[in-house]
Amino acid sequence: MLRGAAAAARGGLLCTIAACAGAFASWLIIAVTPTVRGSTAIKEGLKLSSLSGSTVLYLLLVWLPLLLATLATLALRCLGRDPPTQRARVTRLVQVKRVLATQLPPRAFLAYWCGGLSVGEGLGVLAWFGLNGWWLGQLLRRSLANQGEPMAWTEQLDKVAEAFGKILSPNLMLLFLPVPHCSFITQLCGVSRNSLIRYHRWLGHGTLWVLNLHALSYYLFWGVTHSFWVEFTAWEGKVCNLAGSLGYFSAMALWVSSLSFVRRRMYQLFFRFHIACFLGFFFFALVHYAPCWQMFAPGLLLYGVDVALRCGQLANVTPVAAAAVDEATGIATIQLKADKSLQHRPLSEVWVLVPEISRWAWHPFTVASGGGPYLTLHVKRYGDWTKSLLEGLRQRSITAVRVSGPHGASEEIPGYQLSPPDSWRRYDRLVMIGGGVGITGLLSVLRRMAAERAADAPKGLPSRVVCVWTARKAGEFGILDAALVQAATAPGGLLDLRLHLTAAANAAASSDVELQPADSGAVKLDKSDSFESGVPSQGSRQGSFKDSDASSTPEGEALLPARAVGAAPFCWSMLRPVQPRSFGVAHLAAVNALTFLGAFCGVVLAASYSTQVSQWRGGVVYAVLAPAVALGLAFPAVFPLRYWRARKAAASGGKVTQAESVRPYGRSAALQDSACRVGEACVSVGDTSLRFEQGRPDVTALLCAAGQEAGAGGVVGVYAAGPRPLMTAVHLAVSALNGSGKAEAHLELHREAVEL
């Protein structure tokens, strides 16, 4: 009975979400055509206060469906669903999904250029071109056909430039939808954030090409009509072209700084330009043409919820419990204090902000292991930010960080699970291929499997897992732990763990790294610095510390200042462990509703004021007032609950740690993932060892063997994480084998690496 009611409720919620999607799609169709928006009945019948009828129609077809779809998705996740413990059958729907996932040729070029293009993604790209072509055709047909006599080519150029400006509206509406963390698209479809950011880049390139055509066409028109200087410098008027030019230049600077070769090599430059140039583009676009607030609003409303929630977590300052920095490999292992009720879920991630490095830059990290009392991260030195992080950990100057997440909380916490169930439970056979420290997420999956098998709870687990790990330096294998090494060498062959050292010279050059178990209270690292209880580790060089030796500090003396480093000014005394229940579903629904309500109130106020001032001043009002009111209503729903929970925890016994009693990298903390010895040719735990294989693995042969072992009609889950060349090699191998049938079974690829 209850199961039937839950199924009916799910069906009703799915129908609601489908209706919301239909309403949003209908607005995209009529967004640039005056047929409906310009009708007298709509203008007069839907007029509300200072809002025109077309604006009210926009709110009904865009804002209201977005809010309803978000709330329906939250309700749908509250109902929950059984984890996919049974293997997927090859139904017609499964066959359609496989066809849509088929990679289009030329695969090697598309993998290099855009990370690959599936049939489904290709259809989406064609739909984007088709819609833009249809929008442009409708606008040009109406603007050019309404003239009684032939138009000069300069007038036609003016109409074309105006048409390109109008079709920016639906493109900008779509551009920002994939950006928010809390987007219902992620929660509903299970699309990874990495994929959504990839689609955001695609939409960004297309949108900026349309913007280029709009701006350059007008520049050409002004040039041939000798009105360039007048139009370019005029600030007053119905449309402020000076502000439009400033917004265009901001968008071009954003575009150039976000290109792959700039983003990967100068990430901090990309990060700062992305924020500053977007704000310039947003502000000057609204000054240029005030009604274009409708273009930005849909995605930015969802992002506003993100901002409100993240600001609520700015006070979530978590102490660093332990840290080890291996200079030979450039890898730091960090343990953060975690709430005992935190149920770690594999492949989840946290976003970390280190105020000592930057008060704005949040960086995502896959959680290596967790579940109270510690949460472990592995960070490799890659750019300036990670270099500063490792240096700060080595000098013990970083004692606390701000944490957002973990995103993808555990299934065991009902009502707080907002991401799809563990996909790796769907397969009877898994192949995992990782490179360097990028394998962290895959190792977390293996740890969960090993723990469940050790607890005699193997229900829903694969019967065969092959994991291939490639690294340039042998020391990178030091993040393995005893459980995985023992599982890989245990009889039965359930886990086949293969370690490949791709640079043979590094094997001999890398010195032994020995990490003692967590109970020993000591951490030993050669050619590295490990810190626990503020005392240099055994085996590390005393001269490597730049500050004074902390071992002489009296046991009872606090090593943190009275105000915790990195804490918000209004909560210096509170250091809180990473918590799983930062925001419940009801809280998320309230923040979403208040954000939309505040934005609506801001738009009403801005519309009533903008009719009394010039065009560009009205745009400034929209740019400032609507976001301010939206966030002003959302913040009260975030902060009081956050502080109420913190004070309640402090009163009930210690989830909030007072700064005066905290020592950096406290004596009770030890690195959990530190129970193996890395030698010149193997990784060992006690008498058990795993030998290295030299050279790169043959990915195609590995996948082909796994598919043949699964047999015809079987499905093999393929998980890849690591550097981009490795991801591309796995991507191409899976595509080729699925197309040729050599692997017999079908290979389903999952990308688990977050690309910069």
Side-chain angles (χ1 to χ4, degrees):
M1 185 71 179
L2 293 177
R3 184 172 297 180
R10 289 191 194 97
L13 291 172
L14 288 174
C15 290
T16 301
I17 294 171
C20 293
F24 188 87
S26 66
W27 176 261
L28 290 180
I29 295 175
I30 67 174
V32 296
T33 57
T35 305
V36 178
R37 298 177 61 188
S39 66
T40 305
I42 290 178
K43 285 183 177 180
E44 299 299 329
L46 295 180
K47 186 175 181 180
L48 177 64
S49 181
S50 57
L51 300 179
S52 64
S54 60
T55 301
V56 175
L57 180 64
Y58 160 78
L59 295 175
L60 292 175
L61 293 181
V62 178
W63 284 30
L64 185 60
L66 281 178
L67 179 59
L68 290 178
T70 301
L71 298 180
T73 302
L74 291 175
L76 192 65
R77 303 306 297 173
C78 279
L79 292 176
R81 59 182 177 182
D82 297 331
T85 57
Q86 296 183 353
R87 311 308 174 198
R89 295 178 297 175
V90 183
T91 62
R92 184 168 297 180
L93 179 60
V94 172
Q95 291 176 342
V96 171
K97 289 182 178 179
R98 290 181 181 179
V99 170
L100 293 177
T102 303
Q103 296 295 312
L104 295 173
R107 293 170 183 158
F109 171 74
L110 291 175
Y112 162 76
W113 187 48
C114 62
L117 188 68
S118 67
V119 172
E121 292 169 343
L123 292 175
V125 172
L126 289 177
W128 183 86
F129 278 106
L131 282 173
N132 276 276
W134 183 80
W135 292 326
L136 185 61
Q138 289 289 316
L139 290 170
L140 292 180
R141 183 176 63 84
R142 293 180 179 276
S143 60
L144 298 180
N146 290 336
Q147 304 297 326
E149 56 186 27
M151 300 175 62
W153 74 271
T154 53
E155 295 179 355
Q156 293 179 356
L157 180 62
D158 182 25
K159 298 296 183 182
V160 169
E162 182 182 5
F164 279 124
K166 288 183 176 180
I167 67 174
L168 273 174
S169 175
N171 282 289
L172 285 172
M173 287 173 62
L174 294 173
L175 174 61
F176 302 106
L177 287 179
V179 175
H181 281 283
C182 61
S183 173
F184 69 94
I185 301 174
T186 303
Q187 302 169 14
L188 181 66
C189 304
V191 181
S192 68
R193 177 165 172 79
N194 195 32
S195 296
L196 288 177
I197 293 299
R198 182 165 164 253
Y199 300 148
H200 169 69
R201 290 172 185 160
W202 292 3
L203 289 169
H205 287 301
T207 302
L208 289 173
W209 275 115
V210 174
L211 177 62
N212 263 320
L213 293 172
H214 170 60
L216 296 179
S217 297
Y218 264 123
Y219 288 159
L220 178 61
F221 171 71
W222 297 339
V224 297
T225 56
H226 306 290
S227 59
F228 187 92
W229 184 251
V230 175
E231 294 288 350
F232 188 79
T233 57
W235 190 261
E236 299 290 343
K238 184 177 180 180
V239 177
C240 179
N241 291 318
L242 174 58
S245 296
L246 295 176
Y248 170 66
F249 298 150
S250 298
M252 291 302 102
L254 182 151
W255 195 10
V256 172
S257 64
S258 63
L259 294 177
S260 178
F261 69 91
V262 178
R263 186 178 68 249
R264 292 177 180 276
R265 298 176 183 176
M266 296 174 284
Y267 182 81
Q268 290 300 320
L269 176 68
F270 152 75
F271 178 80
R272 290 179 171 86
F273 265 67
H274 214 66
I275 295 177
C277 294
F278 166 73
L279 292 176
F281 175 51
F282 172 73
F283 179 80
F284 288 117
L286 266 64
V287 175
H288 167 63
Y289 183 62
C292 76
W293 62 268
Q294 298 181 12
M295 308 179 189
F296 295 93
L300 293 186
L301 278 171
L302 299 178
Y303 186 71
V305 177
D306 266 8
V307 172
L309 296 177
R310 190 175 296 176
C311 288
Q313 290 183 325
L314 287 179
N316 193 11
V317 183
T318 301
V320 177
V325 181
D326 187 349
E327 296 292 348
T329 59
I331 295 178
T333 300
I334 310 170
Q335 279 193 333
L336 305 176
K337 289 287 291 183
D339 191 279
K340 293 182 179 180
S341 62
L342 178 64
Q343 299 288 336
H344 169 247
R345 182 186 178 197
L347 300 178
S348 62
E349 66 179 18
V350 293
W351 286 69
V352 176
L353 182 144
V354 183
E356 286 81 358
I357 301 175
S358 171
R359 291 190 174 271
W360 299 97
W362 289 84
H363 289 256
F365 295 101
T366 304
V367 179
S369 63
Y374 304 117
L375 183 147
T376 304
L377 309 176
H378 299 303
V379 182
K380 186 171 184 178
R381 183 170 53 235
Y382 184 82
D384 292 338
W385 190 89
T386 51
K387 181 180 179 181
S388 300
L389 175 64
L390 267 63
E391 182 66 17
L393 293 173
R394 196 181 70 81
Q395 295 183 359
R396 294 174 295 164
S397 62
I398 296 176
T399 57
V401 297
R402 293 175 179 171
V403 179
S404 174
H407 300 285
S410 173
E411 289 282 348
E412 287 82 1
I413 304 178
Y416 294 87
Q417 206 318 89
L418 300 178
S419 56
D422 297 323
S423 59
W424 43 270
R425 296 184 184 272
R426 296 200 303 258
Y427 308 104
D428 188 60
R429 285 173 173 80
L430 286 179
V431 176
M432 296 184 170
I433 305 174
V437 77
I439 201 174
T440 297
L442 304 186
L443 293 182
S444 69
V445 175
L446 296 179
R447 290 188 182 103
R448 170 60 68 89
M449 293 181 187
E452 292 188 12
R453 290 191 185 280
D456 294 329
K459 184 180 179 181
L461 296 182
S463 62
R464 172 73 169 167
V465 180
V466 178
C467 180
V468 177
W469 183 3
T470 67
R472 293 185 176 182
K473 298 181 179 180
E476 296 183 21
F477 297 130
I479 63 177
L480 278 172
D481 54 24
L484 292 183
V485 175
Q486 292 170 358
T489 56
L494 299 179
L495 173 60
D496 182 3
L497 181 58
R498 308 175 188 178
L499 308 179
H500 285 257
L501 197 59
T502 58
N506 287 326
S510 177
S511 62
D512 288 355
V513 179
E514 182 178 357
L515 303 178
Q516 301 298 332
D519 306 4
S520 65
V523 180
K524 185 181 292 185
L525 286 171
D526 289 342
K527 290 188 178 179
S528 62
D529 295 330
S530 175
F531 308 111
E532 189 183 9
S533 351
V535 182
S537 63
Q538 301 176 14
S540 62
R541 293 169 298 176
Q542 297 291 334
S544 64
F545 294 95
K546 293 186 178 180
D547 52 346
S548 61
D549 187 1
S551 60
S552 60
T553 304
E555 178 66 25
E557 183 179 344
L559 293 182
L560 285 184
R563 292 185 171 186
V565 177
F570 35 79
C571 59
W572 291 112
S573 62
M574 290 188 293
L575 288 176
R576 295 144 35 91
V578 180
Q579 298 174 318
R581 303 188 180 188
S582 299
F583 300 99
V585 170
H587 194 193
L588 285 172
V591 173
N592 275 277
L594 288 174
T595 301
F596 276 76
L597 177 62
F600 173 75
C601 294
V603 166
V604 172
L605 292 175
S608 62
Y609 182 77
S610 63
T611 57
Q612 307 172 18
V613 297
S614 61
Q615 176 75 28
W616 73 269
R617 291 185 176 88
V620 173
V621 171
Y622 275 109
V624 175
L625 196 57
V629 178
L631 295 179
L633 281 183
F635 282 161
V638 174
F639 282 102
L641 182 60
R642 168 68 66 177
Y643 288 118
W644 174 76
R645 283 179 175 170
R647 293 300 180 186
K648 183 179 178 181
S652 62
K655 287 187 180 179
V656 177
T657 306
Q658 299 301 319
E660 288 77 12
S661 62
V662 174
R663 297 168 59 84
Y665 314 152
R667 186 176 299 278
S668 62
L671 298 177
Q672 292 180 332
D673 295 344
S674 304
C676 66
R677 178 185 178 88
V678 180
E680 295 183 359
C682 66
V683 174
S684 59
V685 176
D687 297 332
T688 306
S689 63
L690 283 176
R691 296 193 63 83
F692 305 148
E693 299 181 33
Q694 299 297 326
R696 301 181 184 278
D698 189 339
V699 175
T700 302
L702 172 69
L703 296 176
C704 187
Q708 292 174 356
E709 183 180 350
V715 181
V716 177
V718 181
Y719 286 74
R724 190 173 185 181
L726 175 66
M727 300 283 289
T728 301
V730 177
H731 166 82
L732 294 177
V734 169
S735 302
L737 291 174
N738 280 336
S740 65
K742 293 181 180 179
E744 297 186 13
H746 180 75
L747 307 176
E748 289 189 359
L749 176 62
H750 299 262
R751 299 168 179 262
E752 299 299 339
V754 179
E755 298 182 9
L756 292 178

